[in-house]
Structures are given as structure tokens and as C-alpha cells.
């Protein structure tokens, strides 16, 4: 399918498989511009696929995490699952407390801060100033990690993608993709 072309008019937002009248492809610069666009789109697609692979790996780890919440990564994944997918706030509350205690003994963790900020907002257990402070700290931590070159995808993006992937692929769940929020 590499040799199949379609033509898009960016002004009228129409697309067609047939070449428009008067359209001539004789400029080498256009050819190289199209090649650069092709490479860019491939790069973006590869990043999205890598994100889905990481999300699937996280999701697989989540279901193993219920038995192993002593490991911080497993604890985070399982807590996020209980909160976002199961909506079991009573079960999530002590798990979040454990995550926050673990984080407070070390450095800030963006995943923990974002997750807890959402939980606190939904459950109404914290005031908005505190919630905004958690989000500010999470953004600051992600910025630090990005500047150090250690963060390709946000841990929270990976988790969100994982649970979205699980929701839309679950045929037995009524509502499908709506349930992941």
C-alpha cells in the first residue's frame, strides 16, 4: 500500500483518491518534503505503538499486583486499578495512604502525586489548594525527569493508556470505553 496516494485539500478539508486537475508533481523539494512527512508520521506511529506496548505490560503487571503490594510499582499499579477501573474507594484509600507514605520517605513521584490528586478530588478528602499542590509537584518532578533524559513517556500517560486499552478491549463490560474514566 506504499504506492497508493490520496490527495487532501487543507482548505476545503476534502480528500480524494483521484489526482485533482492541474496538480503536477515535478518539484524535487515537494518530493523531499513528502519523504520527511512520511518519516515523521512513522516516528509518531512508532511512539504510539511503544506506548501501547508499555501500557499492555503495565496492565499485565496490575493483575499480578493484587498478591504483591509490597513492591512500590505493583502497589501503584494495583491502587490505580482499584481506583480507576473498580471504583472501590474504600479499598483504594488505604492503598493510597501506603503509596503516599512510601513516597514521603523518598523523593516525589509524579505517578503517585497525579493519582492521589485525582483520588482526593473525586472523594473530596482534600481541599483544592492541596490537590493543586500535588499536581504542581507532579509536573515539577516530570519536568526534572524529562530534563535528565529519563522520561520518554509520562508514567501517568502509560497508566491511562493501559486502562483505556483494557476498557475498550473488554467486550463483556457494558459501556466499554466509557467505563475507564
Amino acid at each position: 500500500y506504499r504506492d497508493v496516494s490520496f490527495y487532501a485539500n487543507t482548505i476545503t478539508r476534502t480528500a480524494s483518491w483521484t489526482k485533482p486537475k492541474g496538480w503536477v508533481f515535478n518539484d524535487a523539494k515537494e518530493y523531499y518534503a513528502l519523504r520527511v512527512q512520511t518519516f515523521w508520521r512513522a516516528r509518531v506511529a512508532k511512539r504510539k505503538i511503544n506506548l501501547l506496548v508499555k501500557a499492555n505490560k503495565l496492565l499485565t503487571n496490575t493483575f499480578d499486583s493484587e498478591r504483591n503490594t509490597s513492591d512500590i510499582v505493583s502497589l501503584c499499579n494495583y491502587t490505580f486499578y482499584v481506583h480507576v477501573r473498580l471504583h472501590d474507594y474504600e479499598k483504594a484509600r488505604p492503598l493510597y495512604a501506603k503509596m503516599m507514605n512510601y513516597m514521603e520517605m523518598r523523593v516525589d513521584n509524579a505517578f503517585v502525586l497525579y493519582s492521589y490528586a485525582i483520588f482526593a478530588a473525586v472523594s473530596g478528602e482534600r481541599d483544592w489548594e492541596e490537590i493543586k499542590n500535588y499536581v504542581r509537584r507532579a509536573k515539577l518532578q516530570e519536568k526534572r525527569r524529562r530534563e535528565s533524559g529519563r522520561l520518554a513517556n509520562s508514567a501517568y500517560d502509560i497508566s491511562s493508556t493501559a486502562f483505556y486499552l483494557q476498557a475498550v478491549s473488554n467486550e463483556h463490560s457494558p459501556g466499554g470505553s466509557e467505563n475507564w474514566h
Side-chain angles (χ1 to χ4, degrees):
Y1 296 118
R2 287 184 173 188
D3 296 332
V4 177
S5 298
F6 75 93
Y7 304 88
N9 185 327
T10 58
I11 297 170
T12 63
R13 297 191 180 273
T14 59
S16 171
W17 294 107
T18 57
K19 184 164 55 169
K21 292 179 184 174
W23 192 86
V24 180
F25 187 77
N26 60 4
D27 189 0
K29 288 181 183 177
E30 277 187 49
Y31 171 78
Y32 290 114
L34 288 173
R35 296 294 293 163
V36 168
Q37 288 175 353
T38 301
F39 289 133
W40 178 256
R41 288 184 185 127
R43 181 176 188 247
V44 169
K46 183 178 177 184
R47 284 184 169 189
K48 287 181 181 180
I49 289 169
N50 285 338
L51 178 63
L52 287 171
V53 168
K54 288 178 184 179
N56 191 39
K57 184 177 178 184
L58 181 144
L59 196 56
T60 303
N61 181 25
T62 297
F63 297 113
D64 296 336
S65 300
E66 184 173 10
R67 294 180 296 276
N68 180 23
T69 56
S70 59
D71 171 41
I72 188 62
V73 173
S74 297
L75 174 65
C76 290
N77 292 341
Y78 183 63
T79 304
F80 195 70
Y81 173 74
V82 168
H83 170 199
V84 174
R85 187 73 181 120
L86 300 181
H87 300 284
D88 187 346
Y89 299 133
E90 295 305 315
K91 191 173 185 179
R93 187 172 288 108
L95 295 171
Y96 274 116
K98 192 173 179 181
M99 283 170 50
M100 293 297 284
N101 288 337
Y102 183 88
M103 184 194 66
E104 287 173 4
M105 293 185 291
R106 290 154 182 79
V107 297
D108 279 352
N109 180 303
F111 180 86
V112 172
L113 291 165
Y114 280 137
S115 299
Y116 188 68
I118 292 170
F119 178 76
V122 169
S123 65
E125 294 183 11
R126 301 278 184 228
D127 65 23
W128 284 106
E129 289 307 312
E130 252 183 302
I131 292 168
K132 287 193 286 189
N133 187 41
Y134 291 138
V135 172
R136 181 192 57 76
R137 287 169 52 194
K139 286 180 179 179
L140 183 62
Q141 185 61 22
E142 278 192 344
K143 181 181 174 188
R144 286 182 188 144
R145 289 195 55 151
R146 214 173 254 116
E147 287 172 353
S148 70
R150 294 182 294 171
L151 185 66
N153 289 104
S154 157
Y156 206 78
D157 290 342
I158 295 169
S159 297
S160 181
T161 302
F163 291 105
Y164 176 77
L165 179 67
Q166 193 259 345
V168 296
S169 66
N170 189 354
E171 297 173 11
H172 306 293
S173 174
S177 64
E178 292 87 20
N179 290 339
W180 82 279
H181 288 124

